[in-house]
Amino acid sequence: MTETPLAARFADDQAIPWESVADGVKRKIMTYDANLMMVKVAFETGGIGTPHQHPHTQMSYVESGAFAITIAEETKTLRTGDAYYIPPDVWHGAVCLEAGILVDVFTPMREDFV
């Protein structure tokens, strides 16, 4: 298994392995340092990003597919090209409506992912 280099200047998507995190959900850590982390998360239709919260600020980009994204008490359907922001310690989750990929960015990096 190829490990993601800390603060890699270039991330070779094809060389980074996927890690299964739930039924219909897998991720790969693209690159990171102590302050910032980028992660791709692939969902099959019906895949669920279980509602959770964390102390990190998160911004996510919908690379492909369609997702019902819940942040706090609000749910919106987002599609390819859309993005969203999650402040620290706010409950959030996702349900995949059409298979696709989210690109998540966290600050600081998610130590629990490595």
Side-chain angles (χ1 to χ4, degrees), residues 46 83 111:
E111 290 184 12

Side-chain angles (χ1 to χ4, degrees), residues 12-40:
D12 180 353
D13 184 50
Q14 300 301 313
I16 301 169
W18 289 101
E19 168 192 6
S20 179
V21 292
D23 284 340
V25 183
K26 59 186 179 180
R27 73 175 170 225
K28 61 170 78 178
I29 299 169
M30 300 304 291
T31 189
Y32 66 96
D33 67 13
N35 299 307
L36 192 63
M37 175 180 270
M38 178 182 285
V39 179
K40 284 178 71 170

Side-chain angles (χ1 to χ4, degrees), residues 5-6 10 17-19 26 32 51-53 67 69 76 80 86 89-90 108 112:
L6 177 65
F10 301 97
W18 289 101
E19 168 192 6
K26 59 186 179 180
Y32 66 96
H52 63 285
Q53 65 182 20
F67 297 84
I69 303 295
K76 296 255 185 197
T80 302
I86 304 165
D89 300 313
V90 172
D112 55 320

Side-chain angles (χ1 to χ4, degrees), residues 44-79:
E44 296 174 10
T45 300
I48 296 174
T50 304
H52 63 285
Q53 65 182 20
H54 46 71
H56 313 84
T57 296
Q58 177 178 341
M59 289 187 182
S60 298
Y61 172 76
V62 182
E63 180 179 304
S64 60
F67 297 84
I69 303 295
T70 301
I71 303 171
E73 306 289 318
E74 186 175 12
T75 301
K76 296 255 185 197
T77 297
L78 299 179
R79 301 182 181 282

